[in-house]
Amino acid sequence: MEFPQQQKPAGDGKIVYPPGVKEITDKISNDEVVKRLKMVVKTYMDMDQDSEEEKQQYLGLALHLASEFFLRNPNKDVRLLVACCLADIFRIYAPEAPYTSHDKLKDIFLFITRQLKGLEDTKSPQFNRYFYLLENLAWVKSYNICFELEDCNEIFIQLFKTLFSVINNSHNQKVQMHMMDLMSSIIMEGDGVTQELLDTILINLIPAHKNLNKQAYDLAKTLLKRTRSALDFTPCLPPFLCLSGVMGKSSVSDLSEHVFDLIQELFAIDPLLLTSVMPQLEFKLKSNDGEERLAVVRLLAKLFGAKDSELATQNRPLWQCFLGRFNDIHVPVRLECVKFASHCLMNHPDLAKDLTEYLKVRSHDPEEAIRHDVIVTIINAGKKDLNLVNDQLLGFVRERTLDKRCGYCTDENTNPHINCQ
């Protein structure tokens, strides 16, 4: 949107009010201000973009409604009515806003954002007006005007935080839809998403926040799905997930300590959100730091083992790299891989062939705990469904009955292999 030179009120410069509306100033009572503003709201609601004569006639009033008297008014009803007027003014005068000052536009949109907090109480007598405000802003994509402002990110962050904080289980689908439209248009039509703005979305996926407000969690999920194509081309998501402390560098995100929780959530929402992240995880599987490898193995075990996961078939290089960790020099990494195998066999029997060779090697591991867990893995899978265990895996169990230190196969009375009978 362009910012034209300031237009001047029609005629002699006086503010023209709709028929029957007297002047609105700080000289009258709040009740009278509210009464007159309701008539102004009705006038702007009935106007459309083709009403050239009325647009010029009421331009002075439009400028007056953005004055400090209204934007800083202590009366809640006054602020709501003014916000509704301003939203209609942006609709009527689109694509050119009647306000030329960038500072004034910022003040206006921060003001409107604050009024959206009223959406929280669906039982309020004024809720229909708050809904009208939201609907109008979403339909016109009014916030897209802010792209021209240098500090537009401050406005967007406040908007996103407000919508995520007010959404609750009393809102119907229309409210949720308009919230979604409002936020998605900012992401899809902007030049990029800043880390701070992305954090306002991702924080709702963290378990603690997810449990506090499930509606905010669902809204964040749907928003990420809808805007995935835009997020794929922004530099924010991969650096956030790949440059956290656990991945080797310090991140600019405040959510770095929750990086693995967020990767799991994003994977569950849409694996394609992590397209740029997976190569980094593959790289970290080869890290010289055993604890770092262990952390990544634990994460990938959850992604590969998830019931509906297709990651192993869709990303074979990462899968093969992960399988290589069965032979890791670090004992806890090998142990984690073996424990993963049981879960994976149950959820993905098609991967049994890949796992068999690596379990075979681990069944001869020098560490007793790992040999023990290989047997546990196979037997647990067989207990659930014998078809999950092929002849080779059963052979490993038979072979381990010769192991005098087979912890699984010895009862408390040292009767060897009673549990393997």
Side-chain angles (χ1 to χ4, degrees), residues 195-196 198-200 202 236 239-241 243-245 250-258 262:
Q195 185 64 61
E196 294 81 4
L198 188 62
D199 280 358
T200 65
L202 294 178
C236 298
F240 164 71
L241 296 172
L243 301 183
S244 68
S250 60
S251 171
V252 295
S253 173
D254 293 333
L255 305 179
S256 300
E257 62 185 278
H258 303 286
L262 287 169

Side-chain angles (χ1 to χ4, degrees), residues 150-343:
E150 289 184 5
D151 47 0
C152 63
N153 199 50
E154 179 183 346
I155 299 170
F156 296 152
I157 289 172
Q158 288 305 313
L159 173 65
F160 279 45
K161 283 183 175 179
T162 298
L163 296 180
F164 280 121
S165 68
V166 300
I167 190 169
N168 57 69
N169 58 12
S170 65
H171 288 138
N172 60 29
Q173 288 187 341
K174 286 186 177 180
V175 174
Q176 297 171 32
M177 177 188 71
H178 292 318
M179 288 183 177
M180 180 62 53
D181 290 344
L182 194 53
M183 291 191 287
S184 63
S185 68
I186 290 172
I187 294 175
M188 297 299 290
E189 299 181 29
D191 292 331
V193 181
T194 66
Q195 185 64 61
E196 294 81 4
L197 185 59
L198 188 62
D199 280 358
T200 65
I201 304 171
L202 294 178
I203 195 171
N204 298 285
L205 305 183
I206 294 173
H209 287 261
K210 174 182 175 180
N211 296 333
L212 284 175
N213 190 341
K214 186 180 184 301
Q215 287 69 40
Y217 170 77
D218 291 338
L219 183 63
K221 272 199 338 182
T222 307
L223 179 61
L224 287 166
K225 283 183 179 180
R226 180 183 290 193
T227 60
R228 177 180 58 79
S229 60
L231 290 174
D232 281 346
F233 296 100
T234 60
C236 298
L237 193 55
F240 164 71
L241 296 172
C242 301
L243 301 183
S244 68
V246 74
M247 299 301 282
K249 297 182 182 179
S250 60
S251 171
V252 295
S253 173
D254 293 333
L255 305 179
S256 300
E257 62 185 278
H258 303 286
V259 61
F260 284 173
D261 286 335
L262 287 169
I263 290 178
Q264 282 184 252
E265 287 289 348
L266 291 169
F267 183 79
I269 292 169
D270 187 343
L272 292 177
L273 282 166
L274 298 173
T275 299
S276 302
V277 175
M278 291 308 177
Q280 295 290 333
L281 294 177
E282 182 178 345
F283 175 75
K284 288 299 179 180
L285 279 174
K286 303 171 185 176
S287 168
N288 292 326
D289 186 334
E291 291 303 314
E292 189 170 68
R293 294 197 306 277
L294 178 60
V296 178
V297 163
R298 283 173 174 162
L299 170 66
L300 287 174
K302 293 174 182 177
L303 304 190
F304 283 123
K307 191 167 185 179
D308 298 321
S309 174
E310 297 179 356
L311 184 59
T313 55
Q314 293 180 346
N315 195 330
R316 295 298 293 179
L318 182 61
W319 173 239
Q320 291 300 325
C321 188
F322 176 81
L323 290 175
R325 292 306 95 208
F326 274 80
N327 300 325
D328 198 285
I329 192 173
H330 195 41
V331 172
V333 173
R334 300 201 304 275
L335 194 58
E336 194 69 33
C337 288
V338 170
K339 289 179 178 179
F340 152 80
S342 177
H343 188 61

Side-chain angles (χ1 to χ4, degrees), residues 75-90:
N75 186 279
K76 187 177 182 180
D77 292 334
V78 169
R79 295 196 304 271
L80 173 58
L81 292 167
V82 170
C84 289
C85 286
L86 292 172
D88 271 318
I89 287 169
F90 284 115

